[in-house]
C-alpha cells in the first residue's frame, strides 16, 4: 500500500473513531437511555379498553385531555373542539399501521406507533381552526387522512 494511502486510511478511520467516541461519551454523559416507561397498548384491544374505547375531549378544569385513535385513513374524533388558553394534552394510539398526528402551525407532531401510546401537550393562544395531517405514509388513502382542531 502506498504511503499516502496509509495516511488517508489512518486519517479516515481515526476520524470515524473520534466521531463515535464523542457521540457515545455525550450520550453517556447526558444519561440517554431507551424509553423505559412508555405506555403500551394492544392494538387489537383499542376498541374495548379505556380510555381508547371512548375517544374524545375531556375537560379536567385547568387542563384538557384529548384521546385519539388513528387508523387507515382517519382519526377518531376527527373534529376536536378545545378551549383557548388551557393546556391540551393529546393522547394518541393507532389501530393498524404507523401514522402521525400533526397539527399544522403548532409544535404538535407525533408518531402513532402500533402498540404504543404517544402524547403531546400544547396551549392554543388564539381561537381558530387548525388542520391535522398524517405525516407518515400509511397507504393509498394517506393524503386523505386529516382532522380539524377547533379552538374557541
Ligand atoms: Cu395515516 Cu398517512
Amino acid at each position: 500500500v502506498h504511503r499516502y494511502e496509509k495516511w488517508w486510511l489512518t486519517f479516515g478511520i481515526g476520524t470515524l473513531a473520534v466521531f463515535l467516541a464523542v457521540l457515545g461519551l455525550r450520550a453517556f454523559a447526558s444519561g440517554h437511555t431507551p424509553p423505559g416507561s412508555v405506555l403500551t397498548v394492544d392494538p387489537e384491544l383499542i376498541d374495548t379498553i379505556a380510555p381508547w374505547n371512548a375517544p374524545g375531549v375531556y375537560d379536567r378544569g385547568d387542563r384538557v385531555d384529548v384521546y385519539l385513535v388513528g387508523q387507515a385513513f382517519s382519526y377518531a374524533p376527527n373534529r376536536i373542539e378545545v378551549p383557548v388558553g388551557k393546556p391540551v394534552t393529546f393522547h394518541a394510539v393507532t389501530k393498524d399501521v404507523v401514522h402521525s398526528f400533526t397539527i399544522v402551525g403548532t409544535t404538535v407532531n407525533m408518531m402513532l406507533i402500533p402498540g404504543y401510546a404517544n402524547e403531546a401537550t400544547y396551549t392554543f393562544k388564539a381561537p381558530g381552526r387548525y388542520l391535522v395531517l398524517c405525516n407518515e405514509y400509511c397507504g393509498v388513502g394517506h393524503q386523505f387522512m386529516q382532522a380539524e382542531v377547533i379552538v374557541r
Side-chain angles (χ1 to χ4, degrees):
V1 183
H2 191 275
R3 192 159 49 110
Y4 289 164
E5 215 165 317
K6 274 186 192 160
W7 289 358
W8 276 114
L9 279 170
T10 310
F11 177 74
I13 293 166
T15 309
L16 184 65
V18 169
F19 170 74
L20 291 174
V22 168
L23 210 66
L25 285 172
R26 276 201 57 191
F28 184 73
S30 36
H32 290 180
T33 55
S37 59
V38 287
L39 186 57
T40 57
V41 55
D42 183 344
E44 297 198 344
L45 298 180
I46 282 171
D47 283 336
T48 54
I49 52 170
W52 313 111
N53 58 356
V57 179
Y58 295 87
D59 199 321
R60 314 284 192 204
D62 57 343
R63 62 189 184 83
V64 175
D65 284 316
V66 179
Y67 291 95
L68 290 150
V69 177
Q71 67 180 86
F73 302 98
S74 62
Y75 298 97
N78 78 342
R79 193 172 184 280
I80 303 153
E81 283 195 42
V82 295
V84 68
K86 258 191 211 182
V88 180
T89 303
F90 297 92
H91 310 263
V93 291
T94 169
K95 277 162 104 171
D96 40 43
V97 296
V98 171
H99 301 281
S100 92
F101 181 83
T102 304
I103 308 176
V104 178
T106 71
T107 53
V108 178
N109 182 14
M110 56 181 166
M111 265 177 106
L112 314 186
I113 299 167
Y116 296 93
N118 206 344
E119 62 174 57
T121 301
Y122 189 77
T123 304
F124 293 91
K125 287 165 194 75
R129 290 167 174 278
Y130 294 79
L131 180 65
V132 174
L133 290 176
C134 178
N135 263 344
E136 301 289 336
Y137 182 73
C138 52
V140 289
H142 162 70
Q143 68 273 25
F144 303 115
M145 186 160 173
Q146 50 180 264
E148 193 180 29
V149 175
I150 295 146
V151 183
R152 294 181 192 277

